[in-house]
Amino acid sequence: MVTESLSTMDFDYSETQQMAAASAREFAEQYIRPHVMEWDEKQYLPIDVLKKAGELGFMGILVPEHYGGSGLGYHEYIAIIEEISKVDPSIGLSIAAHNSLCTNHILSFGNESQKQKWIPKLATAEWIGAWGLTEHNTGSDAGAMSTTAVKEGNSWILNGAKNFITHGKSGNIAVVVARTGEKGDSHGMTAFVVERGTPGFTSGKKEDKLGMRASETAELVFDSCKIPDANRLGNVGDGFIQSMKILDGGRISIGALSLGIAKGAYEAALKYSKERVQFGKPICEFQGISFKLADMATEIEAAELLVHKAGFLKNAGRPMTKMGAMGKMYASEVCVRVANEAVQIHGGYGYTKDFPVEKFYRDSKLCTIGEGTTEIQKVVISKNILK
């Protein structure tokens, strides 16, 4: 448990955070940067790189050491996701989803035997994880899901499909939330673990996306898929409530991902503005450009404070639903604005694939949609402040 107090107001990275960030930076430079555009063009998910991330402890960042994880807190987690996302947000997204959704759901709500069975495989990236909540007709309205799980003896029969699932094809294991009661009943859904290779469990369409193209997004399909009751996570009917708690932490992930994109785009724009000469001087010396950079830098600082405050509350085991939503909403909107301005500062070159900002621009938009849209974050925030 990370012990800290807001009264100290220490905004410096601890030695552990600095080491985690440096390790992630080195990993991204060595294993990711040389291949970014190739993976983007081919929509290729580099499983071998995720396995390498596992070796370095990046696939079980929040997992206790006795389960094979790194045993770190949310500040380190944010730092790692941010550094990787500054180089390739697609890989940052895959690592974040693996950590905060699938792995964290089992870690948070699994019993001891379930944790012993699955967490070490996930924490080391021996297995890649997926998490299935969203369906074709139920994006934000998860309570209206159609995928069902029917009890049959000591087993459950799953039928239905999930879409927009990170690692939907390549994942070795998925946490799936299915309806075990009436539609719309928040206590009518249950979470299950389904291993790849289980009869009746297949993958469907892989999405062809605007951005985050190296992070695989695909359907999970269940056709009379039979799983043992031992694969049920928590009590029958608790799946939706569990998922909302998982999304609280997941919003810190998207906040960290957004920070990485924003910083990557800002740093590229700052560098270019110092090198690009027009009318006899670098364009950063023109007020129109320098003011853009000032706005970008300020918004990134504000987003970082919000995301780390949510991480602080999560580490301390304190309520953080409102702060998680605020951090996710603000950081994601900032990363879109910063990426947009980075393209503008680059001018025509920003519209080409020779410079990194066009990819940051495409990748950024996912952050305002995934793990709850900006509009859903406003619903969450307003409900909390109006209590």
Side-chain angles (χ1 to χ4, degrees):
M1 175 65 73
V2 177
T3 57
E4 54 193 328
S5 168
L6 275 178
S7 62
T8 63
M9 297 300 278
D10 183 0
F11 294 109
D12 291 324
Y13 263 22
S14 68
E15 188 178 347
T16 309
Q17 288 167 254
Q18 289 175 27
M19 287 171 61
S23 179
R25 196 178 307 125
E26 189 178 314
F27 163 74
E29 290 297 333
Q30 183 175 351
Y31 295 100
I32 299 173
R33 191 177 293 282
H35 311 287
V36 170
M37 293 313 294
E38 173 197 348
W39 294 341
D40 183 73
E41 294 287 344
K42 294 179 179 176
Q43 297 202 76
Y44 174 72
L45 173 66
I47 295 290
D48 58 325
V49 173
L50 297 186
K51 300 276 189 188
K52 185 66 184 179
E55 289 175 27
L56 295 169
F58 300 152
M59 300 298 268
I61 301 169
L62 302 164
V63 173
E65 292 179 35
H66 61 269
Y67 293 125
S70 298
L72 297 172
Y74 272 87
H75 294 305
E76 292 81 9
Y77 177 67
I78 293 164
I80 290 166
I81 298 302
E82 179 188 303
E83 288 295 340
I84 291 168
S85 302
K86 279 166 71 173
V87 175
D88 189 347
S90 296
I91 307 304
L93 174 62
S94 273
I95 291 175
H98 174 94
N99 273 278
S100 71
L101 300 178
C102 180
T103 305
N104 197 39
H105 199 136
I106 298 171
L107 187 65
S108 299
F109 298 107
N111 58 39
E112 189 56 33
S113 66
Q114 290 170 331
K115 291 178 191 178
Q116 294 282 1
K117 181 177 181 182
W118 292 309
I119 294 293
K121 287 185 170 73
L122 288 162
T124 57
E126 179 185 341
W127 283 11
I128 304 300
W131 190 76
L133 180 68
T134 301
E135 298 185 2
H136 293 271
N137 296 314
T138 60
S140 300
D141 185 14
M145 67 176 57
S146 298
T147 298
T148 57
V150 178
K151 190 84 183 287
E152 194 174 274
N154 203 33
S155 300
W156 293 85
I157 310 299
L158 271 64
N159 280 289
K162 300 288 179 179
N163 79 326
F164 295 143
I165 308 304
T166 303
H167 309 144
K169 278 186 180 290
S170 298
N172 305 95
I173 184 172
V175 172
V176 179
V177 182
R179 188 162 55 79
T180 50
E182 295 301 313
K183 275 195 179 186
D185 179 5
S186 61
H187 295 282
M189 289 155 275
T190 306
F192 301 91
V193 175
V194 190
E195 295 181 15
R196 185 68 65 181
T198 304
F201 175 31
T202 55
S203 297
K205 178 191 175 190
K206 178 181 171 182
E207 302 296 340
D208 186 1
K209 309 194 301 282
L210 168 73
M212 300 290 192
R213 290 168 61 83
S215 182
E216 174 189 281
T217 306
E219 289 178 314
L220 302 177
V221 180
F222 305 95
D223 182 7
S224 298
C225 177
K226 187 176 183 178
I227 56 170
D229 187 54
N231 286 30
R232 171 174 48 83
L233 293 172
N235 297 324
V236 174
D238 282 356
F240 182 77
I241 308 301
Q242 292 174 6
S243 296
M244 294 304 103
K245 290 177 179 174
I246 293 302
L247 287 171
D248 275 350
R251 285 166 185 155
I252 296 175
S253 297
I254 301 296
L257 181 63
S258 300
L259 284 176
I261 294 171
K263 288 185 180 183
Y266 165 74
E267 288 169 11
L270 182 65
K271 178 175 182 286
Y272 181 83
S273 74
K274 291 176 178 178
E275 296 169 351
R276 175 68 164 168
V277 174
Q278 293 285 273
F279 306 103
K281 59 183 179 180
I283 62 171
C284 63
E285 294 183 18
F286 291 99
Q287 191 178 76
I289 300 298
S290 66
F291 278 16
K292 284 184 189 295
L293 292 165
D295 284 339
M296 292 156 80
T298 303
E299 290 196 321
I300 289 169
E301 287 285 341
E304 188 163 32
L305 289 171
L306 275 172
V307 174
H308 274 284
K309 185 172 181 185
F312 161 79
L313 293 172
K314 188 73 172 166
N315 278 342
R318 287 160 57 179
M320 49 71 63
T321 300
K322 179 184 77 173
M323 192 54 59
M326 284 179 168
K328 190 272 186 192
M329 179 183 78
Y330 187 74
S332 66
E333 293 290 343
V334 163
C335 86
V336 172
R337 286 197 293 272
V338 169
N340 179 52
E341 291 289 40
V343 171
Q344 193 71 17
I345 288 168
H346 279 71
Y349 290 110
Y351 206 67
T352 72
K353 292 184 184 292
D354 296 328
F355 288 81
V357 291
E358 69 85 29
K359 184 175 181 299
F360 285 125
Y361 184 56
R362 289 186 289 109
D363 288 347
S364 68
K365 192 57 198 167
L366 181 276
C367 296
T368 69
I369 298 168
E371 309 232 5
T373 61
T374 293
E375 292 72 25
I376 287 294
Q377 304 314 314
K378 289 181 180 180
V379 170
V380 173
I381 295 163
S382 61
K383 278 184 177 177
N384 274 269
I385 61 179
L386 293 171
K387 271 181 181 175

Short mmCIF file of all heavy atoms in Angstrom, two decimals, residues 77-118:
data_model
loop_
_atom_site.label_atom_id
_atom_site.label_comp_id
_atom_site.label_asym_id
_atom_site.label_seq_id
_atom_site.Cartn_x
_atom_site.Cartn_y
_atom_site.Cartn_z
N TYR A 77 1.96 3.18 -12.29
CA TYR A 77 1.15 2.70 -13.41
C TYR A 77 0.92 3.81 -14.44
O TYR A 77 1.12 3.62 -15.65
CB TYR A 77 -0.18 2.17 -12.88
CG TYR A 77 -1.15 1.69 -13.94
CD1 TYR A 77 -0.86 0.57 -14.72
CD2 TYR A 77 -2.36 2.35 -14.16
CE1 TYR A 77 -1.74 0.13 -15.68
CE2 TYR A 77 -3.24 1.91 -15.13
CZ TYR A 77 -2.93 0.81 -15.88
OH TYR A 77 -3.81 0.37 -16.84
N ILE A 78 0.52 4.98 -13.96
CA ILE A 78 0.30 6.13 -14.84
C ILE A 78 1.59 6.47 -15.60
O ILE A 78 1.57 6.69 -16.81
CB ILE A 78 -0.20 7.36 -14.05
CG1 ILE A 78 -1.61 7.10 -13.48
CG2 ILE A 78 -0.21 8.62 -14.92
CD1 ILE A 78 -2.03 8.07 -12.38
N ALA A 79 2.71 6.48 -14.87
CA ALA A 79 3.99 6.83 -15.48
C ALA A 79 4.37 5.86 -16.60
O ALA A 79 4.84 6.28 -17.67
CB ALA A 79 5.09 6.85 -14.41
N ILE A 80 4.15 4.58 -16.38
CA ILE A 80 4.51 3.55 -17.37
C ILE A 80 3.64 3.67 -18.62
O ILE A 80 4.14 3.69 -19.75
CB ILE A 80 4.40 2.14 -16.75
CG1 ILE A 80 5.52 1.94 -15.72
CG2 ILE A 80 4.47 1.05 -17.83
CD1 ILE A 80 5.33 0.73 -14.82
N ILE A 81 2.32 3.75 -18.43
CA ILE A 81 1.39 3.85 -19.57
C ILE A 81 1.68 5.14 -20.36
O ILE A 81 1.68 5.15 -21.60
CB ILE A 81 -0.08 3.82 -19.11
CG1 ILE A 81 -0.41 2.49 -18.41
CG2 ILE A 81 -1.02 4.05 -20.30
CD1 ILE A 81 -0.20 1.25 -19.24
N GLU A 82 1.95 6.21 -19.64
CA GLU A 82 2.23 7.50 -20.29
C GLU A 82 3.48 7.42 -21.16
O GLU A 82 3.47 7.86 -22.32
CB GLU A 82 2.41 8.57 -19.20
CG GLU A 82 2.72 9.95 -19.70
CD GLU A 82 3.08 10.88 -18.56
OE1 GLU A 82 2.26 11.04 -17.63
OE2 GLU A 82 4.18 11.46 -18.60
N GLU A 83 4.57 6.87 -20.63
CA GLU A 83 5.84 6.81 -21.38
C GLU A 83 5.69 5.96 -22.64
O GLU A 83 6.21 6.31 -23.71
CB GLU A 83 6.96 6.27 -20.50
CG GLU A 83 7.43 7.22 -19.43
CD GLU A 83 8.09 8.48 -19.98
OE1 GLU A 83 8.53 8.48 -21.15
OE2 GLU A 83 8.15 9.48 -19.23
N ILE A 84 5.00 4.83 -22.54
CA ILE A 84 4.82 3.96 -23.71
C ILE A 84 3.92 4.64 -24.74
O ILE A 84 4.18 4.59 -25.94
CB ILE A 84 4.24 2.59 -23.27
CG1 ILE A 84 5.31 1.83 -22.46
CG2 ILE A 84 3.78 1.76 -24.47
CD1 ILE A 84 4.81 0.62 -21.72
N SER A 85 2.89 5.34 -24.26
CA SER A 85 1.94 6.01 -25.15
C SER A 85 2.54 7.22 -25.85
O SER A 85 2.06 7.62 -26.91
CB SER A 85 0.68 6.42 -24.37
OG SER A 85 0.09 5.28 -23.77
N LYS A 86 3.59 7.81 -25.29
CA LYS A 86 4.29 8.91 -25.95
C LYS A 86 4.96 8.43 -27.24
O LYS A 86 5.19 9.22 -28.15
CB LYS A 86 5.34 9.51 -25.01
CG LYS A 86 4.78 10.49 -24.00
CD LYS A 86 5.76 10.79 -22.88
CE LYS A 86 6.92 11.65 -23.33
NZ LYS A 86 7.76 12.05 -22.16
N VAL A 87 5.24 7.14 -27.31
CA VAL A 87 5.87 6.56 -28.49
C VAL A 87 4.83 5.92 -29.40
O VAL A 87 4.78 6.18 -30.59
CB VAL A 87 6.95 5.54 -28.09
CG1 VAL A 87 7.53 4.82 -29.31
CG2 VAL A 87 8.06 6.24 -27.30
N ASP A 88 3.97 5.06 -28.84
CA ASP A 88 2.88 4.47 -29.62
C ASP A 88 1.66 4.24 -28.72
O ASP A 88 1.64 3.30 -27.92
CB ASP A 88 3.30 3.14 -30.26
CG ASP A 88 2.25 2.63 -31.25
OD1 ASP A 88 1.12 3.15 -31.26
OD2 ASP A 88 2.57 1.71 -32.02
N PRO A 89 0.64 5.10 -28.84
CA PRO A 89 -0.56 4.95 -28.02
C PRO A 89 -1.26 3.59 -28.19
O PRO A 89 -1.91 3.12 -27.26
CB PRO A 89 -1.46 6.09 -28.51
CG PRO A 89 -0.50 7.11 -29.04
CD PRO A 89 0.60 6.32 -29.68
N SER A 90 -1.12 2.96 -29.36
CA SER A 90 -1.74 1.65 -29.58
C SER A 90 -1.22 0.62 -28.58
O SER A 90 -1.99 -0.16 -28.01
CB SER A 90 -1.44 1.13 -30.99
OG SER A 90 -2.00 1.96 -31.97
N ILE A 91 0.09 0.61 -28.40
CA ILE A 91 0.70 -0.34 -27.48
C ILE A 91 0.36 0.05 -26.04
O ILE A 91 0.10 -0.80 -25.19
CB ILE A 91 2.22 -0.44 -27.69
CG1 ILE A 91 2.54 -0.73 -29.17
CG2 ILE A 91 2.82 -1.52 -26.79
CD1 ILE A 91 1.87 -1.97 -29.74
N GLY A 92 0.34 1.37 -25.78
CA GLY A 92 -0.10 1.84 -24.46
C GLY A 92 -1.51 1.37 -24.14
O GLY A 92 -1.80 0.94 -23.02
N LEU A 93 -2.39 1.43 -25.13
CA LEU A 93 -3.77 1.00 -24.95
C LEU A 93 -3.85 -0.49 -24.65
O LEU A 93 -4.56 -0.92 -23.74
CB LEU A 93 -4.59 1.31 -26.21
CG LEU A 93 -6.02 0.79 -26.24
CD1 LEU A 93 -6.87 1.40 -25.13
CD2 LEU A 93 -6.67 1.06 -27.60
N SER A 94 -3.12 -1.31 -25.40
CA SER A 94 -3.15 -2.75 -25.19
C SER A 94 -2.64 -3.12 -23.80
O SER A 94 -3.23 -3.95 -23.11
CB SER A 94 -2.33 -3.48 -26.26
OG SER A 94 -3.12 -3.73 -27.40
N ILE A 95 -1.54 -2.49 -23.38
CA ILE A 95 -0.98 -2.78 -22.06
C ILE A 95 -1.93 -2.30 -20.96
O ILE A 95 -2.15 -3.00 -19.97
CB ILE A 95 0.42 -2.14 -21.93
CG1 ILE A 95 1.40 -2.87 -22.87
CG2 ILE A 95 0.92 -2.19 -20.49
CD1 ILE A 95 2.80 -2.27 -22.94
N ALA A 96 -2.55 -1.15 -21.16
CA ALA A 96 -3.49 -0.61 -20.18
C ALA A 96 -4.73 -1.51 -20.04
O ALA A 96 -5.17 -1.81 -18.94
CB ALA A 96 -3.91 0.80 -20.56
N ALA A 97 -5.29 -1.94 -21.17
CA ALA A 97 -6.48 -2.79 -21.15
C ALA A 97 -6.19 -4.12 -20.47
O ALA A 97 -6.99 -4.63 -19.68
CB ALA A 97 -7.00 -3.01 -22.56
N HIS A 98 -5.04 -4.71 -20.78
CA HIS A 98 -4.65 -5.98 -20.18
C HIS A 98 -4.54 -5.85 -18.65
O HIS A 98 -5.03 -6.69 -17.91
CB HIS A 98 -3.31 -6.43 -20.77
CG HIS A 98 -2.72 -7.64 -20.13
ND1 HIS A 98 -2.92 -8.92 -20.64
CD2 HIS A 98 -1.94 -7.80 -19.03
CE1 HIS A 98 -2.28 -9.79 -19.87
NE2 HIS A 98 -1.68 -9.13 -18.89
N ASN A 99 -3.90 -4.75 -18.21
CA ASN A 99 -3.70 -4.52 -16.78
C ASN A 99 -4.99 -4.18 -16.04
O ASN A 99 -5.33 -4.81 -15.04
CB ASN A 99 -2.71 -3.36 -16.57
CG ASN A 99 -1.26 -3.79 -16.56
OD1 ASN A 99 -0.74 -4.26 -15.56
ND2 ASN A 99 -0.59 -3.64 -17.69
N SER A 100 -5.69 -3.15 -16.54
CA SER A 100 -6.75 -2.55 -15.73
C SER A 100 -8.10 -3.25 -15.88
O SER A 100 -8.96 -3.12 -15.01
CB SER A 100 -6.91 -1.07 -16.08
OG SER A 100 -7.46 -0.89 -17.37
N LEU A 101 -8.30 -3.98 -16.96
CA LEU A 101 -9.60 -4.61 -17.18
C LEU A 101 -9.57 -6.09 -16.83
O LEU A 101 -10.00 -6.49 -15.75
CB LEU A 101 -10.06 -4.37 -18.62
CG LEU A 101 -10.22 -2.89 -19.02
CD1 LEU A 101 -10.64 -2.76 -20.48
CD2 LEU A 101 -11.23 -2.19 -18.11
N CYS A 102 -9.02 -6.91 -17.71
CA CYS A 102 -9.04 -8.36 -17.48
C CYS A 102 -8.32 -8.75 -16.18
O CYS A 102 -8.90 -9.36 -15.28
CB CYS A 102 -8.41 -9.08 -18.67
SG CYS A 102 -8.38 -10.88 -18.48
N THR A 103 -7.04 -8.38 -16.10
CA THR A 103 -6.24 -8.78 -14.93
C THR A 103 -6.81 -8.22 -13.64
O THR A 103 -6.95 -8.93 -12.64
CB THR A 103 -4.78 -8.31 -15.11
OG1 THR A 103 -4.28 -8.83 -16.35
CG2 THR A 103 -3.90 -8.81 -13.98
N ASN A 104 -7.16 -6.94 -13.67
CA ASN A 104 -7.64 -6.29 -12.45
C ASN A 104 -9.00 -6.83 -12.01
O ASN A 104 -9.30 -6.87 -10.82
CB ASN A 104 -7.71 -4.78 -12.64
CG ASN A 104 -7.80 -4.04 -11.32
OD1 ASN A 104 -7.17 -4.41 -10.33
ND2 ASN A 104 -8.62 -3.00 -11.29
N HIS A 105 -9.84 -7.26 -12.96
CA HIS A 105 -11.14 -7.79 -12.59
C HIS A 105 -10.97 -9.10 -11.80
O HIS A 105 -11.60 -9.30 -10.76
CB HIS A 105 -12.00 -8.04 -13.84
CG HIS A 105 -13.46 -8.15 -13.54
ND1 HIS A 105 -14.44 -7.53 -14.30
CD2 HIS A 105 -14.14 -8.81 -12.57
CE1 HIS A 105 -15.63 -7.81 -13.79
NE2 HIS A 105 -15.47 -8.60 -12.74
N ILE A 106 -10.09 -9.97 -12.30
CA ILE A 106 -9.84 -11.23 -11.59
C ILE A 106 -9.17 -10.96 -10.25
O ILE A 106 -9.52 -11.55 -9.22
CB ILE A 106 -8.98 -12.19 -12.46
CG1 ILE A 106 -9.72 -12.55 -13.75
CG2 ILE A 106 -8.65 -13.47 -11.67
CD1 ILE A 106 -8.88 -13.31 -14.77
N LEU A 107 -8.21 -10.03 -10.25
CA LEU A 107 -7.50 -9.69 -9.02
C LEU A 107 -8.45 -9.09 -7.97
O LEU A 107 -8.34 -9.38 -6.78
CB LEU A 107 -6.38 -8.69 -9.33
CG LEU A 107 -5.42 -8.34 -8.20
CD1 LEU A 107 -4.61 -9.55 -7.77
CD2 LEU A 107 -4.49 -7.21 -8.64
N SER A 108 -9.39 -8.28 -8.43
CA SER A 108 -10.30 -7.59 -7.50
C SER A 108 -11.44 -8.46 -7.00
O SER A 108 -11.87 -8.33 -5.85
CB SER A 108 -10.89 -6.34 -8.18
OG SER A 108 -9.87 -5.44 -8.54
N PHE A 109 -11.94 -9.36 -7.85
CA PHE A 109 -13.17 -10.08 -7.50
C PHE A 109 -13.05 -11.60 -7.54
O PHE A 109 -14.00 -12.31 -7.21
CB PHE A 109 -14.31 -9.62 -8.41
CG PHE A 109 -14.61 -8.16 -8.26
CD1 PHE A 109 -14.25 -7.25 -9.25
CD2 PHE A 109 -15.22 -7.67 -7.11
CE1 PHE A 109 -14.50 -5.88 -9.11
CE2 PHE A 109 -15.48 -6.31 -6.96
CZ PHE A 109 -15.12 -5.42 -7.96
N GLY A 110 -11.90 -12.11 -7.94
CA GLY A 110 -11.72 -13.56 -7.95
C GLY A 110 -11.44 -14.10 -6.56
O GLY A 110 -10.97 -13.37 -5.69
N ASN A 111 -11.74 -15.39 -6.35
CA ASN A 111 -11.35 -16.03 -5.09
C ASN A 111 -9.88 -16.44 -5.18
O ASN A 111 -9.25 -16.31 -6.22
CB ASN A 111 -12.27 -17.21 -4.74
CG ASN A 111 -12.29 -18.28 -5.82
OD1 ASN A 111 -11.25 -18.60 -6.42
ND2 ASN A 111 -13.45 -18.86 -6.08
N GLU A 112 -9.34 -16.96 -4.09
CA GLU A 112 -7.91 -17.25 -4.06
C GLU A 112 -7.49 -18.28 -5.11
O GLU A 112 -6.45 -18.12 -5.76
CB GLU A 112 -7.49 -17.73 -2.65
CG GLU A 112 -5.99 -17.85 -2.45
CD GLU A 112 -5.23 -16.57 -2.75
OE1 GLU A 112 -5.76 -15.46 -2.51
OE2 GLU A 112 -4.09 -16.67 -3.23
N SER A 113 -8.30 -19.31 -5.29
CA SER A 113 -7.93 -20.34 -6.27
C SER A 113 -7.97 -19.78 -7.69
O SER A 113 -7.14 -20.13 -8.54
CB SER A 113 -8.84 -21.57 -6.16
OG SER A 113 -10.17 -21.24 -6.50
N GLN A 114 -8.92 -18.89 -7.97
CA GLN A 114 -9.00 -18.25 -9.29
C GLN A 114 -7.78 -17.35 -9.52
O GLN A 114 -7.20 -17.35 -10.61
CB GLN A 114 -10.29 -17.45 -9.41
CG GLN A 114 -11.54 -18.32 -9.48
CD GLN A 114 -12.83 -17.51 -9.36
OE1 GLN A 114 -12.85 -16.45 -8.72
NE2 GLN A 114 -13.90 -18.01 -9.95
N LYS A 115 -7.41 -16.60 -8.50
CA LYS A 115 -6.23 -15.74 -8.63
C LYS A 115 -4.98 -16.57 -8.87
O LYS A 115 -4.16 -16.25 -9.75
CB LYS A 115 -6.06 -14.89 -7.37
CG LYS A 115 -7.13 -13.83 -7.18
CD LYS A 115 -6.89 -13.09 -5.87
CE LYS A 115 -8.06 -12.20 -5.50
NZ LYS A 115 -7.86 -11.52 -4.22
N GLN A 116 -4.82 -17.64 -8.11
CA GLN A 116 -3.64 -18.50 -8.26
C GLN A 116 -3.58 -19.14 -9.65
O GLN A 116 -2.51 -19.32 -10.22
CB GLN A 116 -3.65 -19.61 -7.20
CG GLN A 116 -3.50 -19.14 -5.77
CD GLN A 116 -2.08 -18.79 -5.40
OE1 GLN A 116 -1.17 -18.87 -6.22
NE2 GLN A 116 -1.87 -18.37 -4.16
N LYS A 117 -4.75 -19.43 -10.19
CA LYS A 117 -4.83 -20.11 -11.49
C LYS A 117 -4.50 -19.18 -12.65
O LYS A 117 -3.79 -19.58 -13.59
CB LYS A 117 -6.24 -20.70 -11.67
CG LYS A 117 -6.44 -21.47 -12.97
CD LYS A 117 -7.84 -22.06 -13.04
CE LYS A 117 -8.03 -22.85 -14.34
NZ LYS A 117 -9.41 -23.41 -14.44
N TRP A 118 -5.02 -17.95 -12.61
CA TRP A 118 -4.95 -17.08 -13.79
C TRP A 118 -4.01 -15.87 -13.68
O TRP A 118 -3.42 -15.46 -14.67
CB TRP A 118 -6.34 -16.59 -14.17
CG TRP A 118 -7.24 -17.68 -14.67
CD1 TRP A 118 -6.95 -18.60 -15.66
CD2 TRP A 118 -8.57 -17.99 -14.22
NE1 TRP A 118 -8.02 -19.45 -15.84
CE2 TRP A 118 -9.04 -19.10 -14.97
CE3 TRP A 118 -9.41 -17.45 -13.27
CZ2 TRP A 118 -10.30 -19.66 -14.80
CZ3 TRP A 118 -10.67 -17.99 -13.08
CH2 TRP A 118 -11.10 -19.10 -13.84
#
